[in-house]
Amino acid sequence: MHSSGGSLRRKLLLSTAVLVGTLTGYGRRSYAACVNTTGSTFECSGTETTTQAINFNNADVVTVDDPAFSVDTTTTGGDAVTITGDGAISYTDVYFSPLTAAEDALSIQSEGDVGTTPGSVTVTTNGVLDGASDGIFAENSGSGFLSVTANGNVTGGDNGIFAQNRGDGDVTVKAYGRVEGTTDAGIEVRDES
């Protein structure tokens, strides 16, 4: 009887340790971050007050809905989200993720081609983006295209949306929400090919 009681205590302690580890791990996942999940894919979730900076070739950045993603850097300074790298760079938010920033709400740049992949920039966002500089700053220095689709409201102290293509591809900007710039344009497009 004594040995089975000791065995029961060990099982109970082991179960408790596993439960605490599981709960502790779950708590850690609720913190916000843009995390590299597989290959060049990054998933952004949770609430953050510091710049989420991603510098990765062919970065494919997506938001998730649980926990919902948002960034507000108005008290800490900087952009809300910055994405840079060579090749095909993209940001996709279908979960209405708000980005508010002391500088650009979303700054996304392809710095050039990588291997056989043309440098390109693709933005699709449903969120409200508000930057003290630009709501969206998108620039492509590769040979591909630049495409911005904003379904939510986008505002900036300078431009609402600034889109600049230094390569040979097309530039497309579609805005379905209100887009406003304070000192410059609501939408400013530059094609320098």
Side-chain angles (χ1 to χ4, degrees):
M1 200 63 143
H2 185 269
S3 64
S4 69
S7 176
L8 180 60
R9 271 193 294 272
R10 278 191 296 275
K11 288 181 183 176
L12 180 59
L13 287 173
L14 181 59
S15 298
T16 305
V18 170
L19 178 62
V20 169
T22 301
L23 291 175
T24 302
Y26 178 75
R28 274 195 289 264
R29 284 188 286 148
S30 67
Y31 291 109
C34 291
V35 178
N36 182 232
T37 54
T38 56
S40 59
T41 300
F42 289 77
E43 290 184 352
C44 298
S45 66
T47 303
E48 187 55 76
T49 59
T50 60
T51 300
Q52 297 300 293
I54 298 159
N55 185 351
F56 205 88
N57 290 347
N58 297 315
D60 177 22
V61 181
V62 297
T63 63
V64 298
D65 66 336
D66 189 19
F69 180 60
S70 68
V71 181
D72 185 344
T73 64
T74 52
T75 58
T76 57
D79 298 337
V81 175
T82 300
I83 307 166
T84 57
D86 292 335
I89 306 296
S90 66
Y91 175 81
T92 305
D93 165 44
V94 297
Y95 297 109
F96 303 91
S97 304
L99 303 178
T100 307
E103 293 182 22
D104 296 333
L106 174 62
S107 176
I108 182 168
Q109 299 175 48
S110 176
E111 297 168 336
D113 299 348
V114 61
T116 59
T117 305
S120 64
V121 171
T122 305
V123 174
T124 303
T125 178
N126 290 341
V128 173
L129 279 63
D130 185 7
S133 294
D134 295 322
I136 298 173
F137 176 89
E139 182 176 67
N140 178 36
S141 295
S143 62
F145 63 88
L146 186 150
S147 174
V148 175
T149 303
N151 295 310
N153 296 340
V154 181
T155 57
D158 295 329
N159 298 289
I161 298 172
F162 178 86
Q164 178 169 285
N165 195 20
R166 298 177 185 275
D168 299 326
D170 293 336
V171 179
T172 305
V173 176
K174 298 177 183 176
Y176 298 100
R178 186 184 74 245
V179 178
E180 294 180 310
T182 304
T183 60
D184 287 326
I187 299 174
E188 182 170 344
V189 176
R190 294 184 185 173
D191 187 354
E192 299 182 359
S193 55

